[in-house]
């Protein structure tokens, strides 16, 4: 019997954990394991260790399947990654970094970068085609108006998958920084200014507090936030 050690890592973001049932299947070049239960309660920023046993050696692990199931209440789960150690000590890492919602199964390839010609296994070729088809169905374009750039064929961002939504945490951080910056500009007299700048040094003194700040996770140098002087 082959024994595989598995570590499942839940993301470090708001409400990343879940109380829904999570299980995993290992897929190797010589076969796949039976579905093994990870846990019914996973907490943010926590790792869950489990052992997956197979009647035969699965060979190198090329895919994993994460299964999410619920009986009543929906509780989405954000998985960072999954790490697998084989019977011979070989290590495999599967970068997930996505939300699992509803009753679903998500297939994730092993993290080594590969080109299309490197997929010599039929299961990997099929996985690549299915992934491409899913993206083509998820991201379709439409003409908003004549002469305008094309846009996604959705009526609301609520129709988009959670994995392509702007991070709520990042959004709150960005809004908080803008509020602080606006208050600082108001107190410094910038927002109510009706006269022209006297010099560049005067402009720099007003915006000096922004030096080295991050807005929405992006470093903003002083020169990037100084507007041209009013006429």
């Amino acid at each position: 019997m082959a024994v595989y050690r598995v570590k499942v890592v839940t993301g470090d973001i708001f409400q990343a954990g879940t109380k829904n049932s999570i299980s995993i299947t290992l897929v190797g070049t010589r076969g796949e394991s039976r579905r093994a239960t990870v846990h019914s309660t996973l907490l943010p920023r926590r790792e869950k260790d489990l052992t997956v046993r197979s009647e035969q050696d699965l060979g190198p692990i090329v895919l994993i399947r994460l299964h999410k199931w619920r009986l009543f209440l929906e509780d989405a789960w954000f998985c960072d990654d999954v790490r697998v150690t084989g019977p011979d000590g070989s290590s495999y890492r599967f970068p997930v970094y996505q939300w699992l919602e509803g009753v679903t199964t998500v297939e994730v390839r092993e993290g080594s970068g590969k080109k299309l010609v490197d997929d010599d296994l039929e299961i990997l070729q099929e996985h690549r085609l299915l992934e491409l088809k899913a993206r083509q169905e998820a991201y379709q374009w439409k003409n908003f108006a004549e002469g305008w750039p094309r846009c996604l064929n959705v009526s609301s961002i609520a129709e988009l998958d959670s994995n392509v939504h702007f991070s709520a945490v990042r959004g709150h951080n960005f809004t908080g920084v803008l509020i602080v910056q606006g208050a600082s500009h108001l107190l410094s007299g910038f927002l109510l200014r009706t006269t022209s700048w006297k010099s560049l040094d005067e402009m720099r003194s007003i915006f000096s507090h922004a030096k080295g700040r991050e807005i929405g996770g992006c470093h903003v140098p002083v020169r990037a936030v100084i507007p041209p002087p009013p006429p």
Side-chain angles (χ1 to χ4, degrees):
M1 177 172 288
V3 178
Y4 297 83
R5 290 182 288 117
V6 179
K7 185 185 297 291
V8 179
V9 183
T10 298
D12 183 14
I13 60 177
F14 182 61
Q15 293 185 336
T18 184
K19 293 183 179 180
N20 289 169
S21 177
I22 304 296
S23 56
I24 187 171
T25 301
L26 306 181
V27 181
T29 57
R30 302 174 191 163
E32 60 183 67
S33 70
R34 293 184 178 179
R35 185 181 300 193
T37 300
V38 177
H39 209 269
S40 58
T41 301
L42 296 172
L43 301 176
R45 303 180 296 277
R46 297 292 180 86
E47 299 177 351
K48 178 62 181 179
D49 296 311
L50 67 146
T51 299
V52 177
R53 304 179 186 276
S54 174
E55 296 180 356
Q56 63 176 359
D57 189 335
L58 303 176
I61 307 301
V62 295
L63 283 175
I64 61 168
R65 297 190 187 107
L66 291 173
H67 314 276
K68 179 176 172 297
W69 183 83
R70 60 178 170 80
L71 183 58
F72 296 111
L73 298 179
E74 166 63 16
D75 192 8
W77 175 52
F78 188 90
C79 178
D80 265 3
D81 63 3
V82 176
R83 303 158 197 173
V84 179
T85 302
D88 60 354
S90 299
S91 297
Y92 310 91
R93 180 176 177 272
F94 299 84
V96 183
Y97 299 111
Q98 61 179 291
W99 288 98
L100 276 70
E101 298 178 316
V103 178
T104 186
T105 294
V106 173
E107 286 191 346
V108 181
R109 296 169 62 111
E110 201 274 324
S112 301
K114 291 184 177 181
K115 301 186 294 295
L116 178 61
V117 295
D118 297 327
D119 289 341
D120 52 353
L121 297 175
E122 183 178 352
I123 189 172
L124 292 180
Q125 296 171 358
E126 182 180 357
H127 174 265
R128 189 182 289 270
L129 291 174
L130 291 175
E131 185 178 48
L132 177 60
K133 181 179 179 181
R135 294 197 177 196
Q136 289 173 337
E137 293 176 351
Y139 306 111
Q140 298 185 16
W141 298 95
K142 69 178 180 180
N143 291 320
F144 178 74
E146 186 66 30
W148 286 60
R150 300 174 70 191
C151 61
L152 282 176
N153 188 20
V154 293
S155 57
S156 168
I157 60 173
E159 298 179 21
L160 295 174
D161 186 272
S162 297
N163 293 297
V164 298
H165 282 183
F166 189 76
S167 166
V169 175
R170 182 62 56 81
H172 289 297
N173 291 341
F174 187 81
T175 302
V177 170
L178 291 181
I179 292 174
V180 172
Q181 295 281 1
S184 299
H185 293 166
L186 179 63
L187 294 175
S188 65
F190 168 69
L191 295 181
L192 301 178
R193 188 183 185 96
T194 58
T195 59
S196 300
W197 303 108
K198 295 180 180 179
S199 66
L200 289 176
D201 289 336
E202 185 181 8
M203 295 169 60
R204 292 192 182 96
S205 67
I206 291 178
F207 290 97
S208 61
H209 66 278
K211 185 176 182 180
R213 288 289 185 87
E214 288 191 357
I215 297 180
C218 299
H219 180 80
V220 181
V222 175
R223 63 179 179 275
V225 296
I226 298 179

